[in-house]
């Protein structure tokens, strides 16, 4: 629990509370994308949910400036505690909780800006440290968000954060807060900043785009946040905000440059956020009083965050351009004092993921016995299936080869989970990945415990040759677009996503619960046609 040692909310205590609320908000954003969705067709559902952060204004009008922040923190603690129960993670409750979290952040920024000389710098530092802690927690759980995966660890973490929010509510209720001031609608820029952190702070996203392991991607991200925290205490040139949209643009391009570009973007983002929050010398106002200013800041924060998270690179880049432009309108701030402690904390967080990986138990092997020239193949459409059920299905099938379709790699709907990396760390198997044509973050994964003598990958398909115990080779192809593979190779067991043949009894495939499709032992198979793929399987 966050140690609040004073009776009233000092700037240091408010900074700690801001970090806790930010750490709660980041997984809430991912959970909202998982429950509600982030496609353009579902945007009308997402926008009202996050626009409800405009409650920051009415809450202040109703309870007054002294009680509004404690009430928001208390409400967030109560709603967060409800979400510990998985059956309650439905769209309305998740959307309301995210809106309350965003409204609480807006109120915290306003309180911290009034209580400290450089409140915006403290907010930027707290947000960057929260991102580093969030990445560390996710890497510890192999990107399956530890707060939503269930179990004792998830419950303990959720309760600790709930207690920290409740302690923050108590601390902010003590003493007399600084007088409320009008203006400050530029606090809405927190929304695009949160959206950028959600995109750039996703290890799976960076791993796919840069073609690097997930753990290494997490190191790049955390190193960027460490530099960003340290840079808040170093004089930087006035033109630094220009680097943000440029770095974000390169980070969204699938190439090895994505990793250093993401690091650069995360390194300058805290400085840009700090300057953006102080733009226009804190006089940005609607002209209709503090209530309207707060309401607009809250609604803008939520909508800005949602727009940046809509699929497609242009809105992400637009968010970076908007933040860079706002930062360019502000005066150059002085360096933030006392950098030692935050930099040490960020550096410790950087060291946690590799240590957690070294302490992970050894992976479980898949079956390898193919005596008699037979092997078992599992062909499964896993879209929307929890990772633990996918793992259990593979192990229960006893298959030497598993072909999984609809496999996510950092998609919003999967909460940023990289399922191939998650499975590779739990199964001792060789893998081949075939990204769907036009989308690098979903595709088909082939896992096998058998020796692989040859493999081929292309847009929408993957193929590999496995060697059985008696030395006989077997060629397997899988993916969403098998046409090029089938035109080049005559003898291949083709497994498209819609793998269940029309006549299951004649083919040897049969359903076995929860959408799983199991194949019996395969003795031999004949050539397949070029399209649509059809499989001829002989079953003993």
């Amino acid at each position: 629990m966050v140690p609040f040692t004073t009776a009233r909310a000092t700037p240091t205590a408010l900074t700690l509370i801001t970090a806790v609320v930010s750490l709660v908000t980041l997984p809430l954003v991912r959970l909202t994308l998982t429950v509600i969705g982030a496609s353009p067709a579902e945007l009308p559902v997402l926008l009202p949910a996050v626009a409800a952060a405009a409650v920051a204004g009415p809450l202040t009008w109703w309870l007054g400036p002294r009680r509004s922040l404690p009430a928001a923190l208390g409400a967030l603690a109560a709603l967060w505690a409800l979400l510990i129960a998985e059956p309650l993670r439905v769209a309305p409750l998740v959307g309301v909780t995210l809106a309350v979290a965003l409204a609480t952040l807006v109120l915290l920024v306003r309180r911290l800006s009034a209580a400290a000389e450089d409140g915006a710098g403290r907010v930027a530092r707290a947000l960057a440290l929260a991102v580093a802690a969030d990445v560390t927690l996710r890497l510890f759980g192999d990107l399956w968000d530890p707060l939503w995966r269930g179990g004792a660890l998830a419950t303990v973490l959720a309760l600790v954060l709930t207690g920290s929010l409740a302690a923050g509510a108590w601390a902010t209720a003590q003493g007399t807060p600084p007088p409320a001031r009008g203006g400050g609608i530029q606090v809405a820029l927190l929304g695009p900043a949160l959206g950028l952190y959600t995109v750039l702070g996703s290890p799976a996203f960076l791993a796919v785009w840069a073609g690097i392991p997930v753990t290494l991607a997490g190191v790049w991200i955390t190193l960027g946040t460490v530099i960003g925290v340290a840079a808040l205490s170093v004089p930087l040139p006035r033109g630094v905000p220009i680097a943000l949209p440029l770095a974000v643009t390169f980070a969204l391009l699938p190439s090895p440059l994505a990793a250093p570009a993401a690091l650069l973007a995360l390194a300058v983002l805290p400085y840009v956020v700090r300057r953006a929050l102080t733009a226009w010398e804190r006089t940005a106002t609607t002209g209709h009083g503090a209530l309207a200013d707060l309401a607009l800041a809250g609604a803008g924060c939520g909508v800005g965050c949602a727009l940046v998270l809509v699929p497609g690179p242009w809105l992400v880049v637009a968010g970076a351009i908007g933040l860079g432009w706002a930062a360019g309108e502000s005066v150059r701030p002085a360096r933030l004092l006392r950098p030692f402690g935050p930099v040490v904390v960020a550096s410790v967080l950087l060291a946690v993921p590799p240590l957690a990986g070294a302490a992970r138990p050894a992976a479980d092997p898949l079956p390898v016995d193919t005596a008699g020239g037979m092997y078992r193949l599992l062909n499964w459409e896993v879209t929307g299936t929890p990772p633990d059920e996918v793992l259990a299905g593979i192990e229960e099938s006893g298959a030497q080869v598993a072909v999984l379709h609809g496999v996510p790699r950092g998609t919003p709907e999967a909460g940023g989970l990289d399922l191939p990396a998650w499975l590779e760390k739990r199964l001792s198997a060789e893998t081949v990945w075939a990204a769907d044509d036009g989308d690098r973050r979903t595709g088909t994964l082939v896992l096998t415990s058998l020796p692989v003598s040859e493999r081929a990958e292309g847009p929408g398909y993957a193929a590999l040759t496995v060697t059985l115990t008696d030395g006989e080779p077997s060629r397997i192809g899988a993916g969403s677009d098998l046409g090029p593979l089938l035109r080049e190779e005559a003898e291949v067991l083709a497994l498209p996503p819609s793998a269940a043949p029309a006549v299951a009894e004649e083919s040897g495939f049969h359903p076995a619960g929860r959408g799983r499709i199991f194949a019996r032992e395969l003795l031999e198979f004949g050539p397949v046609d070029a399209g649509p793929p059809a499989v001829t399987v002989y079953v003993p």
Side-chain angles (χ1 to χ4, degrees):
M1 186 177 297
V2 176
F4 301 107
T5 57
T6 58
R8 66 176 63 188
T10 63
T12 300
L14 287 171
T15 304
L16 291 174
I17 298 170
T18 303
V20 172
V21 174
S22 301
L23 184 56
V24 166
T25 303
L26 291 167
L28 274 175
V29 171
R30 293 193 296 271
L31 182 61
T32 303
L33 295 175
T34 303
V35 173
I36 297 179
S39 67
E42 294 170 321
L43 185 60
V45 179
L46 182 60
L47 287 180
V50 294
V55 73
L59 191 65
T60 302
W61 170 79
W62 181 35
L63 298 176
R66 176 176 178 177
R67 295 187 179 90
S68 57
L69 180 55
L73 285 164
L76 180 58
L79 292 169
W80 177 265
L82 290 176
L83 292 180
I84 297 176
E86 186 174 356
L88 296 180
R89 296 172 197 164
V90 293
L93 182 60
V94 172
V96 168
T97 306
L98 176 60
V100 172
L102 295 172
T104 305
L105 272 178
V106 170
L107 294 172
L108 273 169
V109 174
R110 291 290 297 270
R111 175 76 70 89
L112 195 51
S113 298
E117 184 176 354
D118 191 3
R122 289 174 175 269
V123 170
R125 177 187 281 173
L127 184 56
L129 288 174
V131 170
D134 178 70
V135 171
T136 297
L137 283 175
R138 296 173 67 199
L139 288 174
F140 182 78
D142 293 329
L143 302 190
W144 188 10
D145 205 319
L147 290 167
W148 311 129
R149 66 186 298 176
L153 177 61
T155 303
V156 170
L157 286 174
L159 290 176
V160 167
L161 289 174
T162 301
S164 299
L165 293 171
W170 176 85
T172 54
Q174 308 304 308
T176 303
R181 296 184 294 181
I185 61 174
Q186 70 271 18
V187 177
L189 295 170
L190 270 178
L194 281 168
L196 286 175
Y197 269 127
T198 302
V199 174
L200 300 174
S202 171
F205 169 83
L206 186 58
V208 172
W209 251 239
I212 58 178
V214 169
T215 302
L216 180 58
V219 171
W220 277 98
I221 292 170
T222 313
L223 182 59
T225 60
V226 172
I227 297 173
V229 170
L232 289 172
S233 301
V234 177
L236 295 176
R238 183 176 179 84
V240 165
I242 301 175
L244 180 62
L246 294 175
V248 169
T249 301
F250 280 98
L252 298 177
L253 297 176
S255 74
L257 291 177
L263 182 147
L264 176 60
L266 291 168
V268 302
L269 188 51
Y271 179 78
V272 171
V273 169
R274 180 192 186 190
R275 290 188 59 168
L277 293 180
T278 57
W280 309 292
E281 297 182 355
R282 301 178 183 171
T283 59
T285 177
T286 62
H288 298 285
L291 171 61
D293 296 339
L294 273 172
L296 184 58
C301 179
V303 173
C305 179
L307 289 176
V308 171
L309 294 175
V310 171
W314 299 114
L315 286 174
V316 181
V317 175
I321 293 174
L323 277 172
W325 172 78
E329 294 293 317
S330 70
V331 296
R332 180 177 174 181
R335 68 187 183 93
L336 195 62
L337 300 178
R338 298 182 180 178
F340 180 75
V343 172
V344 169
V345 170
S347 301
V348 170
L349 292 173
L350 176 65
V352 170
L355 294 177
R360 184 180 293 107
D364 295 327
L366 294 177
V368 295
D369 183 18
T370 57
M374 297 187 299
Y375 66 92
R376 175 165 294 193
L377 184 147
L378 167 64
N379 197 54
W380 187 4
E381 174 67 50
V382 299
T383 302
T385 307
D388 55 345
E389 292 190 15
V390 174
L391 178 63
I394 295 173
E395 293 177 335
E396 292 171 7
S397 71
Q400 288 92 353
V401 180
V403 179
L404 309 178
H405 305 281
V407 177
R409 297 198 66 185
T411 60
E413 294 79 7
L417 172 71
D418 189 333
L419 185 57
W422 192 85
L423 290 173
E424 287 173 7
K425 292 178 180 179
R426 286 156 179 79
L427 295 172
S428 179
E430 291 198 49
T431 61
V432 181
W433 165 256
D436 289 343
D437 193 15
D439 184 4
R440 296 171 61 93
R441 293 188 293 173
T442 57
T444 299
L445 178 68
V446 183
L447 303 96
T448 180
S449 58
L450 304 178
V452 176
S453 59
E454 186 180 356
R455 63 176 66 201
E457 301 175 43
Y461 74 89
L464 71 162
T465 301
V466 297
T467 304
L468 308 184
T469 302
D470 57 6
E472 289 294 322
S474 180
R475 188 73 167 162
I476 302 167
S480 59
D481 185 9
L482 291 170
L485 175 67
L486 299 177
R487 285 191 292 270
E488 295 176 3
E489 302 187 31
E491 296 186 356
V492 58
L493 176 59
L495 299 165
S498 55
V503 186
E505 292 77 7
E506 295 179 1
S507 66
F509 290 86
H510 63 92
R514 288 214 66 171
R516 301 177 188 176
I517 306 293
F518 289 93
R520 298 181 184 180
E521 292 81 356
L522 307 180
L523 284 179
E524 58 179 342
F525 48 85
V528 297
D529 299 327
V535 183
T536 303
V537 181
Y538 298 91
V539 181

